[in-house]
Amino acid sequence: MTSTTRTKPQPPAAAVAADAHWAAKMERLRSRQLAETVFTVCDDQGVRERYLRAQRDYDLAAQYAKAHPKDTEAAIDLARATADRDTAKEAYDEIAIPLRFRALPRQALEALYQQHKPSEGEDEDGKQWAATFPAALIAAASVDGMTEAEAQELLDTWSLSEADAMFNAAYGVQNTTRADLGKG
């Protein structure tokens, strides 16, 4: 019988000697959350463009105000840009539909690849996975609880670019790296 309880092995003595805080560091590594991303659908281009424009205006005003802290006009422009951005964001948030996707643990992703291997014909055509993989990945990565059938429905009924964008959000978060290599 295989046990699913996690045992915490003792850190190697050499690691503890080199870093007295190894156990705390390992605990932090174990408690990390998997990467997440948000894919947002907004059908009202006008609302979307107003929000994006207001965000750009805010960014420019904030940058200018930071560079010119004694300029009272810059502070006034920043306050106006902040209000405009907040109003535009509120309108955007009212109609936008956010879909959240989370990276899968490595073993779960590898199992999904195995379950959705390309057929011989698909493999010969250069396909990396079976046609069922995109919906399965979207469902597995969905934080919101989207089912595989729902994911397939959206993939089948949305435009190619929007369907690809949703898949790319679910697939892209699987490749998110939050680590740096270099000198410590």
Side-chain angles (χ1 to χ4, degrees):
M1 183 166 140
T2 304
S3 172
T4 59
T5 57
R6 231 182 184 170
T7 59
K8 293 184 180 181
Q10 294 301 313
V16 174
D19 183 351
H21 303 287
W22 177 252
K25 188 181 290 188
M26 221 23 233
E27 187 58 35
R28 286 182 63 202
L29 290 169
R30 285 184 181 113
S31 66
R32 292 179 68 233
Q33 298 297 311
L34 294 167
E36 285 191 13
T37 193
V38 178
F39 173 71
T40 305
V41 177
C42 180
D43 289 329
D44 189 326
Q45 268 314 103
V47 169
R48 182 177 180 275
E49 288 172 13
R50 276 191 299 282
Y51 168 60
L52 293 174
R53 186 173 42 255
Q55 182 64 51
R56 279 191 306 273
D57 291 348
Y58 167 81
D59 291 342
L60 290 171
Q63 185 179 28
Y64 186 84
K66 184 177 179 182
H68 302 89
K70 295 181 183 179
D71 186 340
T72 55
E73 288 294 319
I76 292 169
D77 287 345
L78 178 57
R80 185 177 59 248
T82 301
D84 289 349
R85 183 217 40 204
D86 292 349
T87 300
K89 177 77 165 113
E90 190 174 301
Y92 178 81
D93 287 345
E94 284 181 23
I95 64 166
I97 305 166
L99 299 174
R100 295 174 304 144
F101 297 107
R102 180 179 299 135
L104 302 173
R106 181 183 58 80
Q107 292 173 335
L109 183 60
E110 288 176 356
L112 204 58
Y113 283 133
Q114 288 298 315
Q115 292 168 3
H116 299 276
K117 283 184 177 180
S119 67
E120 192 173 304
E122 290 169 326
D123 191 38
E124 288 173 6
D125 289 341
K127 306 271 180 163
Q128 297 176 10
W129 44 68
T132 56
F133 178 74
L137 176 66
I138 289 168
S142 174
V143 175
D144 302 310
M146 185 183 302
T147 67
E148 195 169 330
E150 291 167 333
Q152 190 63 58
E153 175 187 344
L154 297 178
L155 290 170
D156 290 344
T157 59
W158 284 4
S159 71
L160 180 61
S161 64
E162 289 178 338
D164 284 350
M166 180 175 61
F167 170 73
N168 288 336
Y171 186 69
V173 75
Q174 306 307 319
N175 298 300
T176 298
T177 300
R178 299 176 295 168
D180 296 320
L181 298 176
K183 297 178 182 174

